[in-house]
Amino acid sequence: MKRRLVQKIEAILFASGEPVPVLRIAEVCGETPAEVEKALAQLAAKYTEMNSAVCVQQLGECWQMCTRPAYGDVVQKALETKKTAPLSVAAMEVLTIVAYNQPVSKSFVEHVRGVDSSSVVNTLVEKELLAEAGRLDVPGRPIAYVTTPHFLRCFGLASLDDLPPLTKLANRSELETGTQITGEEQAAENVGMPEK
């Protein structure tokens, strides 16, 4: 029975190609979310034990079947896709501010950065790294922005709890520009070419 559940989940993730919520898997398989989580852990362990080029990755409340980053170049060549341009420093700053403080408004981001950030936020929404999440309960009720499952996948995070701790910044100007975030340059490269 449990082996059959693991096989069903493997088929769902393979066919989807996108992150699938645990609750959705539980619903279609007629199992509890706890049983599905156990089966997902078994499936992930299976691919790890096989040293497979494929892995099963947790993305918040969702799971997805992906290729391992080590095979990104060959997959890209095989699919003849162009490498996405790496994110700009401004985009990384905005992502950092949102990731560590979400949900936030554009005005909050602009206050922290000290410059207009509307176009950067809009670009990150288009790239599906940020998403609108209703309105904040503050005067003017501005739109709230949060990171997305695509953000987690691009940065190789299972959840926001896996974000590296903010380093102690030397002075206020560094805090305002967000220049000393652990792993920022490596993360920018990861976003440049997400793995499926």
Side-chain angles (χ1 to χ4, degrees), residues 4 15 31 36 49 51 62 75 86 91 99 111 122 125 134 136 155 159 168 170 174 178:
R4 181 75 173 150
E31 295 285 344
V36 168
E49 288 167 14
N51 198 25
C62 300
V75 171
H111 176 74
N122 292 340
V125 170
L136 293 173
F155 283 83
S159 74
K168 194 166 188 175
E174 289 175 347

Side-chain angles (χ1 to χ4, degrees), residues 128-139:
E128 299 181 351
L129 294 169
L130 296 181
E132 294 181 5
R135 295 192 174 266
L136 293 173
D137 192 17
V138 296

Side-chain angles (χ1 to χ4, degrees), residues 1-189:
M1 170 65 178
K2 297 308 172 193
R3 182 174 175 223
R4 181 75 173 150
L5 177 58
V6 171
Q7 291 172 334
K8 286 180 183 178
I9 292 171
E10 184 175 27
I12 291 167
L13 296 182
F14 177 81
S16 171
E18 295 292 330
V20 183
V22 170
L23 292 177
R24 179 67 178 148
I25 297 171
E27 179 185 344
V28 299
C29 292
E31 295 285 344
T32 66
E35 287 298 320
V36 168
E37 290 279 3
K38 286 180 191 174
L40 282 161
Q42 288 177 15
L43 183 60
K46 171 184 138 181
Y47 280 103
T48 300
E49 288 167 14
M50 292 184 341
N51 198 25
S52 174
V54 175
C55 64
V56 178
Q57 184 175 358
Q58 184 177 7
L59 304 165
E61 298 298 316
C62 300
W63 288 73
Q64 181 176 13
M65 189 171 284
C66 310
T67 57
R68 294 194 189 276
Y71 301 98
D73 289 343
V74 70
V75 171
Q76 181 186 17
K77 288 175 186 173
L79 299 178
E80 297 180 353
T81 57
K82 294 182 180 177
K83 183 175 180 179
T84 305
L87 292 177
S88 67
V89 172
M92 288 300 298
E93 288 175 0
V94 170
L95 274 178
T96 300
I97 292 164
V98 176
Y100 284 92
N101 299 284
Q102 61 190 305
V104 298
S105 64
K106 283 183 185 177
S107 62
F108 176 85
V109 172
E110 291 169 356
H111 176 74
V112 173
R113 293 189 67 228
V115 295
D116 178 52
S117 302
S118 292
S119 64
V120 179
V121 171
N122 292 340
T123 298
L124 292 171
V125 170
E126 288 173 14
K127 290 180 178 283
E128 299 181 351
L129 294 169
L130 296 181
E132 294 181 5
R135 295 192 174 266
L136 293 173
D137 192 17
V138 296
R141 300 203 28 90
I143 294 172
Y145 291 91
V146 296
T147 55
T148 63
H150 183 57
F151 165 84
L152 294 176
R153 180 177 66 193
C154 290
F155 283 83
L157 304 171
S159 74
L160 292 174
D161 294 335
D162 293 337
L163 283 169
L166 288 169
T167 59
K168 194 166 188 175
L169 304 179
N171 60 51
R172 186 172 178 82
S173 65
E174 289 175 347
L175 176 61
E176 289 171 353
T177 59
T179 55
Q180 291 190 355
I181 302 302
T182 306
E184 195 171 275
E185 291 180 3
Q186 181 61 46
E189 290 178 12

